[in-house]
Amino acid sequence: MFQTLLIANRGEIAVRIMRTARRMGVRTIAVYSDADAKAAHVAAADGAINIGPAPAAESYLRGDAILEAARQAGAEAIHPGYGFLSENAEFAEACAKAGIVFVGPPPAAIRAMGLKDRAKALMQEAGVAVVPGYMGDDQAPGHLAKEAARIGYPVLIKAVAGGGGKGMRRVDEAGGFAAALDGAKRESKAAFGDDRVLIEKFVSTPRHIEMQVFADSHGNAVHLFERDCSLQRRHQKVIEEAPAPGMHAAMRETMGAMAVTAAIAVGYVGAGTVEFIVDASAGLKADKFWFMEMNTRLQVEHPVTEAITGLDLVEWQLRVAAGEKLPKAQDEIVLHGHAMEARLYAEDPQNGFLPSIGKLERLHLPDGEPGIRVDAGVREGDVVSQFYDPMIAKVIAHSDTREAAAAALAGGLRHACIAGVHTNNAFLIRALSHPDFVAGTFDTGFIAAHQDDLIPAADIPHFALEAAADFVMREHWRVSPDPWDNNDGFRLEGSTAQEMALIVNEKRVAIALPPPPPGVDVEAMRLANGDIAIMHGGETFVVTPYDPFAAAESAGQSADRIVTPMPGKIVQVLVKTGEAVKRGQPLAVLEAMKMEHTLSAPADAQVESVDVAQGDQVSEGAVILRFAKPQSEAA
């Protein structure tokens, strides 16, 4: 076994790999960018080396810098985690030339499965069924449009390289194809340096089921059962589970054999995932699933497989990379119970799931609760930055049944307390508790179909307002018992109706003082910006104490401009000065957190000025454009 392992990644996956390596007696080396100097994965490692500035392209994606770090540390092996360089064949080759073991498959296997069109052609040759579509070299927009018409709408446009939903667009009719193709190509080019796409038939009731496979360099290959990753938004997984609901033995055997065949066909070594699209319109059937792609790395959702098998997949990776045989044969791998994983993100469901950047002023996760595992890459006080994926943690529950696992995971998330950034925690709780999800009647369209249930109106319950008022009142009392120092409505001539004003959704709300006890357990804290966060049941409600001076200053201001919701890069400006725009019309496209976000007109208006250009790097709150005042106001 290796003496020293360098982890060429960051966040929760780097911390998770270190945990296994430490148990195996392997010394770990972290790499970090300037933005990550005080990150959790740096603190968890036995040693750490800086590899460059904050942008990933100048640090975590620099194979030469990572190899130099490995040489400095005397590392015999590099574990790439997932993302970044994990599926980069050139980096795997560079490791081999440097005499360093790449903990992953051979470069040839990465190349074979790294491009979706070639992978599908290879699978067809091996006798594996693939989704109908177009995978040709002719990338002319006109030709692609003709192929889409031949396949029949709806179709999926998918980037030939990469994954994670980037460079992917669903198109329901011919009229929307050109714009979708342009966006998919642009996003794919930015994410993977390759704008080629393929087109697939869109399955109307799709389930996303994948098989975990493992192979060694001695000719052995096995599967470790399936995972269901159908709960998605924008083609990105939200909740994963194992085994798949409704899966029966015959279909599992067929799908497992097909996945192993796929791995053998490319000379695979190490951990990999073979992904299938399943037509679930009439339940799961052994002849209604097709190969989509193979991910030649460890998956984000690997903990659910570990939970149902009792195996450590990172340990298997390290043993296989060190030249050992697979620890178990197929008939020795047994499935126990049911596991679910929720991806906890710093993002705002109320605002289109836009990433939320800022300091984690409060972070309590349910780690250590019975049946709950938490894989986190941040700690309380850490900052969610603009440079990387905004995942806070993965929370995993394992129990005897699917219903029990869902209830345990929802219960664990209800005990989470998070403040400082928006999160999807309450959204996850609602999804896990939704009757259709609990019943197992869902597909990849579940979130879109139940959006009103999963993302209700952003109302703050009265108990949270009373708790905020109570916190402010007690905070002032702790500072000074002198009534002249308090803003509680004290009157010299006697006590009149006392109240405290709070700002909720830009409206002033009065709360009588003293407020009654909230009736539920809450945690309250003042944030760095002066707001009050009330945490209860996995939800965080934020209110602002009323400041009459600030209110006077902002009075009369109107929405006369479009500003950026987060830092990023302007990749498209879609309007010109003087142009009349309609409500909902796209105005500009911002690339941030590896995804594109379209900024649209809030109402019918005329563009007075455009303040950015394509290619500009912008900060949060930067003005994109301004609208002219209506004639009635101008007069």
Side-chain angles (χ1 to χ4, degrees):
M1 183 49 60
F2 314 112
Q3 296 298 309
T4 302
L5 175 71
L6 183 140
I7 295 94
N9 217 297
R10 64 178 303 280
E12 57 84 19
I13 187 58
V15 175
R16 186 265 169 277
I17 293 166
M18 291 172 192
R19 187 167 63 240
T20 291
R22 183 174 295 108
R23 178 176 59 78
M24 297 175 67
V26 178
R27 178 172 174 261
T28 60
I29 302 298
V31 292
Y32 64 93
S33 70
D34 292 346
D36 277 342
K38 298 181 179 179
H41 76 282
V42 174
D46 296 311
I49 297 174
N50 181 279
I51 52 171
E58 301 175 41
S59 51
Y60 295 105
L61 288 171
R62 281 193 57 199
D64 59 337
I66 289 170
L67 283 171
E68 178 57 32
R71 293 188 191 98
Q72 290 180 29
E76 302 128 284
I78 293 176
H79 196 308
Y82 50 70
F84 293 141
L85 297 172
S86 63
E87 295 179 283
N88 187 303
E90 288 73 25
F91 180 66
E93 286 178 337
C95 288
K97 290 179 181 177
I100 298 172
V101 174
F102 176 79
V103 182
I110 297 176
R111 286 197 175 93
M113 289 300 185
L115 297 176
K116 295 182 179 69
D117 54 349
R118 294 182 187 176
K120 289 188 175 184
L122 185 61
M123 290 302 99
Q124 284 179 315
E125 293 175 10
V128 177
V130 302
V131 181
Y134 173 74
M135 303 174 287
D137 293 329
D138 190 341
Q139 293 285 301
H143 182 74
L144 293 173
K146 289 180 181 178
E147 288 295 333
R150 177 187 62 80
I151 296 165
Y153 290 96
V155 299
L156 273 180
I157 302 172
K158 298 175 71 173
V160 165
K166 300 176 184 67
M168 184 183 295
R169 299 288 190 277
R170 173 181 170 175
V171 189
D172 292 317
E173 57 185 9
F177 185 82
L181 176 64
D182 183 56
K185 280 182 165 288
R186 186 174 57 250
E187 194 170 84
S188 177
K189 182 69 174 179
F192 315 118
D194 187 340
D195 69 352
R196 290 174 298 157
V197 299
L198 57 83
I199 303 171
E200 286 181 351
K201 177 66 180 175
F202 180 79
V203 179
S204 59
T205 311
R207 288 266 295 277
H208 181 151
I209 299 178
E210 60 190 31
M211 275 279 173
Q212 176 70 61
V213 295
F214 245 101
D216 61 26
S217 56
H218 303 276
N220 303 304
V222 298
H223 70 79
L224 283 72
F225 309 114
E226 79 281 356
R227 297 185 288 256
D228 194 310
C229 307
S230 300
L231 223 68
Q232 304 177 2
R233 61 165 190 80
R234 290 188 68 180
H235 310 293
Q236 290 188 315
K237 302 165 188 175
V238 176
I239 295 173
E240 302 101 341
E241 59 183 300
M247 178 65 78
H248 49 85
M251 183 171 176
R252 177 176 290 127
E253 184 177 352
T254 301
M255 185 178 282
M258 197 175 290
V260 172
T261 296
I264 293 173
V266 294
Y268 203 79
V269 175
T273 303
V274 182
E275 302 194 0
F276 297 95
I277 189 75
V278 181
D279 182 352
S281 57
L284 300 186
K285 294 187 176 181
D287 61 346
K288 289 293 184 181
F289 67 89
W290 303 273
F291 171 87
M292 281 200 306
E293 61 190 30
M294 183 175 185
N295 290 305
T296 54
R297 54 172 167 79
L298 196 66
Q299 291 280 90
V300 177
E301 58 272 20
H302 76 273
V304 295
T305 297
E306 294 183 321
I308 64 167
T309 61
L311 304 172
D312 185 327
L313 270 62
V314 172
E315 179 181 345
W316 276 41
Q317 283 188 296
L318 295 178
R319 293 196 181 283
V320 167
E324 298 182 21
K325 292 183 178 181
L326 292 178
K328 289 181 180 288
Q330 189 68 67
D331 60 0
E332 297 177 296
I333 303 169
V334 183
L335 191 159
H336 300 282
H338 201 99
M340 286 188 183
E341 172 183 295
R343 301 188 186 192
L344 179 59
Y345 276 98
E347 61 185 13
D348 186 2
Q350 298 287 346
N351 192 21
F353 291 94
L354 286 176
S356 182
I357 297 168
K359 183 179 179 181
L360 290 162
E361 299 186 45
R362 181 73 173 103
L363 181 63
H364 168 75
L365 299 175
D367 201 7
E369 293 187 12
I372 298 292
R373 163 181 166 180
V374 175
D375 284 9
V378 291
R379 303 152 300 181
E380 187 169 287
D382 286 350
V383 173
V384 179
S385 79
Q386 70 190 73
F387 299 105
Y388 314 115
D389 186 276
M391 181 185 285
I392 294 173
K394 302 180 308 195
V395 184
I396 306 99
H398 181 230
S399 194
D400 292 336
T401 67
R402 182 177 186 273
E403 293 76 12
L409 184 51
L413 293 173
R414 287 190 182 96
H415 290 143
C417 291
I418 310 169
V421 298
H422 295 286
T423 78
N424 66 338
N425 195 63
F427 166 82
L428 293 170
I429 294 170
R430 296 187 188 100
L432 289 162
S433 308
H434 194 282
D436 288 350
F437 178 78
V438 173
T441 55
F442 62 91
D443 56 39
T444 57
F446 175 86
I447 290 175
H450 298 286
Q451 186 157 323
D452 290 345
D453 295 332
L454 304 178
I455 313 173
D459 293 330
I460 298 181
H462 202 69
F463 77 79
L465 299 178
E466 292 174 338
D470 181 72
F471 176 85
V472 174
M473 183 181 71
R474 293 177 183 276
E475 185 181 55
H476 279 292
W477 181 255
R478 286 195 300 270
V479 173
S480 171
D482 188 337
W484 297 105
D485 291 335
N486 294 323
N487 59 356
D488 59 1
F490 174 82
R491 298 289 186 273
L492 269 178
E493 62 271 20
S495 178
T496 59
Q498 298 182 6
E499 64 180 32
M500 180 177 295
L502 302 171
I503 301 299
V504 181
N505 296 329
E506 300 181 356
K507 294 181 180 179
R508 185 178 182 276
V509 177
I511 303 295
L513 293 178
V520 294
D521 290 332
V522 301
E523 180 176 339
M525 68 176 292
R526 184 177 288 274
L527 303 178
N529 64 358
D531 289 347
I532 308 299
I534 303 297
M535 291 158 275
H536 165 73
E539 293 198 67
T540 301
F541 308 101
V542 178
V543 299
T544 303
Y546 178 71
D547 182 342
F549 298 103
E553 185 177 335
S554 62
Q557 290 187 357
S558 59
D560 63 344
R561 67 198 67 184
I562 294 292
V563 299
T564 52
M566 71 192 80
K569 178 181 178 181
I570 301 297
V571 295
Q572 258 192 322
V573 177
L574 303 171
V575 293
K576 298 178 180 178
T577 299
E579 184 175 341
V581 297
K582 296 289 185 182
R583 177 185 175 88
Q585 180 178 334
L587 305 174
V589 178
L590 175 73
E591 181 188 281
M593 297 288 194
K594 305 179 184 178
M595 299 291 286
E596 289 190 357
H597 307 276
T598 300
L599 307 177
S600 302
D604 295 355
Q606 185 176 30
V607 178
E608 182 177 76
S609 66
V610 177
D611 295 72
V612 297
Q614 182 174 323
D616 285 356
Q617 292 284 347
V618 292
S619 60
E620 180 178 355
V623 176
I624 299 297
L625 56 81
R626 303 172 193 271
F627 298 118
K629 289 185 178 180
Q631 290 297 323
S632 58
E633 292 185 26

